[in-house]
Amino acid sequence: EKRPLGKGTALSLLALEAEFVRPVPPLMKTNVDDVVWLNPSNAPGLMWDITMCEDSSRGAEVRELMAKAFKGPLAPVQQKHVLKELEDDPKLVYHCGLTPQRLPDLVENNPVIAIECLLKLMRSSQITEYLSALVNMDMSLHSMEVVNRLTTAVNLPTEFIHLYISNCISSCENIKDKYMQNRLVRLVCVFLQSLIRNNIINVKELFIEVQAFCIEFSRVREAAG
């Protein structure tokens, strides 16, 4: 209610404000579909995490052993334990700390574990990255052992095998120490013979490269034969 201006009351425009009629807004007519959310009939089901409250000590133990495996050879008992755990639960390979960047260290220190991990990762979306890391690592007896075992266990991409052979040949050509060079040449020759004997590669596809390799290192008995 507006009170009249008295003596001493300051004059302002608010005192002259007009009265506006504000009718109560009408109720909106509702439809049956508007309140369907009050009693949902197709509520989604709850998704339970079945791994909750599971014993994670096994995974922690494998991760601890794998951390050691990247740095040096494991004891036979430890190695057997890791292999058994991977065999019992193949999904552990995704949670054991192995990455493409760490694969070369595992290959050099524990090739048997590396083989088992790669076999478990064959259906992984990251297998191309792991194979790439294997191809680009320094050539060694252990890396050849891993590749040779993989070729006999699964069907590896042909381009991967060819690239690995090319890198092995390049490594032999670039090494300066004659003793180490001869040793690596022998390893490559034995590796190639194994691939050919098991029909893993078609020697005709690599004939020129392999022939040039054998001629260059004909002083080595395995290459000359």
Side-chain angles (χ1 to χ4, degrees):
E1 181 181 355
K2 300 292 183 180
R3 290 183 294 180
L5 295 175
K7 186 177 180 181
T9 303
L11 182 64
S12 68
L13 294 177
L14 292 177
L16 303 177
E17 182 181 3
E19 293 282 351
F20 290 100
V21 178
R22 297 180 176 86
V24 178
L27 293 177
M28 182 179 177
K29 293 182 179 181
T30 60
N31 194 332
V32 177
D33 298 333
D34 295 335
V35 292
V36 67
W37 55 271
L38 291 177
N39 298 289
S41 59
N42 58 345
L46 296 176
M47 301 294 292
W48 295 103
D49 184 1
I50 60 175
T51 62
M52 291 179 65
C53 301
E54 283 188 353
D55 183 14
S56 60
S57 58
R58 183 172 64 178
E61 186 178 3
V62 172
R63 284 193 297 272
E64 183 179 350
L65 289 174
M66 287 293 288
K68 296 179 180 179
F70 297 134
K71 300 177 181 178
L74 293 181
V77 175
Q78 294 174 321
Q79 187 179 99
K80 289 181 180 179
H81 181 70
V82 173
L83 294 176
K84 184 180 183 303
E85 293 295 341
L86 290 174
E87 185 65 27
D88 293 342
D89 185 4
K91 292 183 179 180
L92 274 179
V93 74
Y94 298 102
H95 310 289
C96 66
L98 178 62
T99 63
Q101 293 75 23
R102 286 183 162 186
L103 180 62
D105 294 331
L106 185 62
V107 169
E108 283 303 318
N109 294 309
N110 295 276
V112 176
I113 296 178
I115 293 169
E116 191 64 28
C117 288
L118 288 172
L119 290 175
K120 296 287 187 294
L121 289 165
M122 277 299 156
R123 296 184 179 181
S124 167
S125 59
Q126 283 189 302
I127 187 59
T128 303
E129 297 178 33
Y130 283 100
L131 293 180
S132 178
L134 185 58
V135 165
N136 294 316
M137 67 177 291
D138 294 336
M139 189 194 75
S140 66
L141 174 61
H142 286 169
S143 71
M144 285 188 185
E145 178 186 354
V146 171
V147 173
N148 192 43
R149 286 282 302 276
L150 289 177
T151 57
T152 57
V154 295
N155 292 323
L156 292 176
T158 304
E159 57 272 16
F160 162 75
I161 301 176
H162 289 182
L163 182 57
Y164 183 77
I165 293 173
S166 298
N167 286 351
C168 288
I169 292 176
S170 298
S171 297
C172 292
E173 293 172 345
N174 295 330
I175 193 168
K176 302 301 181 182
D177 185 275
K178 289 297 181 183
Y179 172 78
M180 288 300 300
Q181 187 180 60
N182 292 344
R183 184 170 180 269
L184 290 180
V185 169
R186 293 189 183 94
L187 290 176
V188 172
C189 290
V190 173
F191 176 66
L192 289 173
Q193 290 171 3
S194 175
L195 295 179
I196 295 171
R197 183 171 57 253
N198 294 317
N199 295 319
I200 303 299
I201 62 171
N202 185 355
V203 71
K204 294 180 180 179
E205 298 176 354
L206 296 167
F207 179 77
I208 296 177
E209 190 171 9
V210 173
Q211 184 185 50
F213 170 77
C214 293
I215 292 174
E216 181 178 0
F217 298 103
S218 57
R219 68 178 184 275
V220 180
R221 180 169 55 84
E222 288 79 1

